[in-house]
Amino acid sequence: MIKKVLVANRGEIAVRVMRSCREMGILSVAVFSEADRKAMHVRYADEAYCVGPASSAESYLNIDKIIEVAKIAKADAIHPGYGFLSENATFADKVSKAGIIFIGPSIHAINTMGDKLTARELMIKSGVPVVPGTEENITDNTRLKEIANQIGYPVMIKASAGGGGKGMRLVREEKDVISAYEMAKSEARSAFGNDAVYIEKYVEGPHHIEFQIMADQHGNYVHLFERECSVQRRHQKVVEETPSPLMTPKLREEMGKRAIDAAKSVNYVGAGTVEFLVDNNLNFYFLEMNTRLQVEHPITERVTGIDLVKAQINVANGLPLPFKQEDLRQNGHAIECRIYAEDHKNNFMPSPGVVKSISEPLGLGIRTDGYVYEGYEIPFHYDPMISKLISWAPTRSEAIERMKRALYEYKITGVKTSIPFVSKIMEAKDFVDGNYDTHFIEKNMDFLMTDDDCSDYCEDIALLVAYLDYTEKMKLDGEHTLDTTHKTSQWKEFGRRKNVIRL
Ligand code: MV4
């Protein structure tokens, strides 16, 4: 049984994984870069080891160094989190060969799903619907034009080694297909060292809906329902929710079955996610499978009541899943807003720096997964996501109101954050109506950029108002008592009208 886990990651996910370890009585080992000496995951862990300089390539991606530390620390297992080495088959292989448990799927599953063309072929064989398109690696221009015409424009050219939007090209007309193909190929060659590409019919205005799946080493598979992830900006998710407002019970059952089929096709073990595109007629198509725990896993945890990290560790220990598909329910509604240290008013530029103050929301139905504390300097070397705010309520509209309340309470000074931006999303009509697809952010950009947020000065004004109100009512009658007879405060009225003060 696993007694000590090395977490090969940083930031909120490293802390998240260690939290479950602590609850399970498992010791945790942190690895950190020179830029992360004071990071939360280092403080939280039972042991911590420096693995290299600030740059990820020399630290969090340093396979041999991390495995060396795992051996020194006598860790039984390694949890890779997301990003970094989480979908690196070479890492998983070397970990296993060092006699350490890799908390994740097999090398075969990582490799197969990592190559999108191979995954596509396998899905076709397994009866999982894919977007109409190629089943071959296209290598010449004649064949390219033939296939594109067969599919019908617009088409998408995608890099087989890509994923998450990297190495993709949209082609609307035949005249552009060869140049797009050549650009996609050369981009893929330099980015991934693999220039295989494939073509798909372009799905207009799609939803991105993914299914969480979980499998054990004994051939048991379940899905833990969907996550709606269509609120994205440049392939970066911003808000996720479950259930999806688009979903119907019938579609859920169908997609859930196909997600499990996708997982079965690679003998998947552990936690994984099957991504689908869903069009407006509720046709769905396999996009890719992520062979890791994902950023947005907490919304699934909240509605199903299952700790996915605990489940991953139990599966890695060889235990059977303690639940069957028919035991699982979606209880209520959960929404996640990602909080990035970035300045949306300045082209969403990262905003690293020292966190001068942080005050996180609490209260019924709120969870924050983060790692920054007062005085912490957010390094510029890594992803600018600093936390995830998750709201839960019995209904979607209550979950939105609760999220707005929590965002109102969330105060971070010293760095710019996406709190004002996601607050606007919670107020956007299309979001509130559940009427949105992957084009939501670009469609609503003007509204989302309109600043009626006053978080920087709202509290100062409220204090000023309270003080003026106090002095105005204070009557020095010799006993220094406060006259509490009601008088309308002009300041408060003005503030309410202008929506500057929300008292
Ligand atoms: C598509 C598509 C439309 N048609 N494929 C983007 C990320 C990568 N995983 C696949 N992506 C897309 N593939 C076809 N055939 C539209 C997208 C897409 C998208 C997908 C999910 C979430 C957000 C997106 C934003 C733009 C484009």
Side-chain angles (χ1 to χ4, degrees):
M1 285 290 172
I2 295 169
K3 290 192 187 69
K4 198 189 260 193
V5 172
L6 181 145
V7 181
N9 216 302
R10 65 177 304 283
E12 68 85 19
I13 193 62
V15 177
R16 161 71 191 91
V17 171
M18 290 176 193
R19 281 180 165 148
S20 285
C21 290
R22 192 161 289 275
E23 288 180 21
M24 297 172 85
I26 294 170
L27 296 170
S28 53
V29 181
V31 291
F32 63 96
S33 73
E34 283 166 14
D36 271 344
R37 287 190 184 283
K38 297 178 184 172
M40 183 64 95
H41 73 289
V42 176
R43 292 185 172 194
Y44 193 95
D46 296 293
E47 294 170 49
Y49 299 81
C50 186
V51 287
S55 94
S56 300
E58 295 176 275
S59 51
Y60 297 106
L61 294 171
N62 190 339
I63 293 178
D64 295 330
K65 184 76 189 175
I66 290 169
I67 293 174
E68 185 193 317
V69 166
K71 286 182 188 159
I72 292 168
K74 298 191 165 56
D76 320 295
I78 295 184
H79 194 300
Y82 53 70
F84 294 124
L85 297 168
S86 60
E87 291 176 291
N88 185 315
T90 307
F91 180 59
D93 192 28
K94 285 194 174 182
V95 169
S96 303
K97 288 193 171 125
I100 300 164
I101 296 169
F102 178 75
I103 302 176
S106 69
I107 294 133
H108 168 73
I110 298 172
N111 274 330
T112 308
M113 291 305 183
D115 188 89
K116 311 301 165 193
L117 198 47
T118 309
R120 224 184 110 81
E121 283 162 8
L122 185 59
M123 291 313 115
I124 295 166
K125 272 192 214 134
S126 311
V128 180
V130 300
V131 187
T134 42
E135 289 169 46
E136 64 192 280
N137 177 7
I138 308 158
T139 48
D140 73 274
N141 291 350
T142 328
R143 191 77 191 115
L144 169 72
K145 282 197 175 180
E146 251 173 50
I147 291 172
N149 279 320
Q150 240 173 45
I151 300 168
Y153 290 91
V155 298
M156 259 198 146
I157 303 181
K158 298 183 176 183
S160 184
K166 276 174 266 158
M168 268 183 9
R169 275 278 187 299
L170 169 60
V171 189
R172 294 215 170 258
E173 294 174 69
E174 178 167 359
K175 70 172 175 56
D176 300 322
V177 76
I178 290 174
S179 66
Y181 167 74
E182 273 159 6
M183 278 197 287
K185 251 183 142 40
S186 85
E187 235 177 67
R189 198 180 306 121
S190 57
F192 317 114
N194 169 1
D195 70 357
V197 297
Y198 60 102
I199 312 188
E200 283 179 359
K201 173 90 186 156
Y202 179 63
V203 180
E204 305 270 2
H207 281 248
H208 171 139
I209 299 180
E210 59 189 29
F211 272 71
Q212 177 70 53
I213 72 103
M214 194 79 219
D216 63 21
Q217 297 177 19
H218 312 280
N220 301 306
Y221 291 83
V222 296
H223 71 80
L224 293 97
F225 313 103
E226 79 279 9
R227 292 187 288 257
E228 170 63 73
C229 304
S230 296
V231 181
Q232 308 207 358
R233 191 190 148 268
R234 302 204 178 157
H235 306 299
Q236 171 116 259
K237 291 170 189 159
V238 182
V239 175
E240 304 96 347
E241 63 176 314
T242 187
S244 166
L246 191 75
M247 196 56 72
T248 64
K250 188 166 162 280
L251 182 64
R252 180 176 293 120
E253 193 181 331
E254 188 62 24
M255 289 179 76
K257 269 191 200 144
R258 298 303 167 214
I260 288 176
D261 290 343
K264 280 183 177 168
S265 75
V266 289
N267 298 315
Y268 201 86
V269 170
T273 298
V274 183
E275 291 184 2
F276 294 99
L277 281 183
V278 184
D279 70 19
N280 275 326
N281 300 320
L282 302 189
N283 297 306
F284 67 91
Y285 310 98
F286 172 87
L287 211 48
E288 47 195 75
M289 180 169 188
N290 302 314
T291 56
R292 58 165 194 275
L293 186 72
Q294 289 195 261
V295 176
E296 58 273 25
H297 76 276
I299 58 173
T300 298
E301 297 188 318
R302 194 58 188 81
V303 300
T304 62
I306 290 161
D307 180 331
L308 287 168
V309 174
K310 263 189 197 172
Q312 283 185 301
I313 293 171
N314 285 331
V315 161
N317 265 324
L319 296 172
L321 291 177
F323 38 76
K324 294 191 174 63
Q325 190 65 53
E326 58 266 29
D327 301 329
L328 300 172
R329 295 280 180 283
Q330 285 170 297
N331 177 27
H333 199 98
I335 305 173
E336 172 179 280
C337 288
R338 297 192 187 189
I339 311 301
Y340 292 100
E342 67 182 21
D343 183 3
H344 66 285
K345 294 268 169 88
N346 183 18
N347 199 25
F348 297 86
M349 284 281 280
S351 174
V354 177
V355 176
K356 272 170 66 183
S357 70
I358 176 164
S359 176
E360 296 196 276
L362 293 166
L364 184 62
I366 291 298
R367 163 178 177 181
T368 62
D369 272 25
Y371 75 104
V372 310
Y373 54 85
E374 219 149 273
Y376 176 70
E377 183 170 6
I378 300 165
F380 58 86
H381 305 87
Y382 314 108
D383 191 272
M385 195 185 76
I386 51 175
S387 85
K388 307 178 306 205
L389 174 57
I390 300 105
S391 76
W392 177 89
T395 64
R396 183 173 189 269
S397 61
E398 290 167 293
I400 294 173
E401 291 309 318
R402 188 164 278 168
M403 180 62 86
K404 281 155 66 175
R405 183 270 287 177
L407 287 163
Y408 167 75
E409 291 176 9
Y410 214 157
K411 304 276 189 278
I412 299 176
T413 63
V415 297
K416 301 259 197 233
T417 76
S418 58
I419 294 170
F421 188 69
V422 292
S423 300
K424 289 295 284 187
I425 293 177
M426 292 302 119
E427 287 166 10
K429 185 175 188 309
D430 284 347
F431 183 81
V432 172
D433 292 346
N435 171 33
Y436 65 88
D437 60 29
T438 48
H439 300 304
F440 167 79
I441 288 186
E442 58 191 79
K443 272 188 203 152
N444 290 276
M445 204 43 131
D446 288 346
F447 175 81
L448 300 177
M449 297 300 273
T450 315
D451 199 350
D452 59 15
D453 178 84
C454 62
S455 56
D456 287 354
Y457 50 84
C458 182
E459 281 192 359
D460 292 348
I461 293 177
L463 268 173
L464 200 64
V465 167
Y467 182 72
L468 286 172
D469 195 51
Y470 174 79
T471 53
E472 188 190 311
K473 286 173 181 162
M474 180 71 100
K475 286 216 174 114
L476 293 174
D477 58 1
E479 287 176 16
H480 296 263
T481 54
L482 184 65
D483 174 7
T484 53
T485 53
H486 180 76
K487 280 179 201 157
T488 305
S489 159
Q490 296 283 313
W491 284 84
K492 283 183 183 173
E493 281 309 308
F494 175 80
R496 280 204 195 89
R497 267 203 317 278
K498 291 281 175 191
N499 194 28
V500 171
I501 303 160
R502 293 176 233 149
L503 295 169

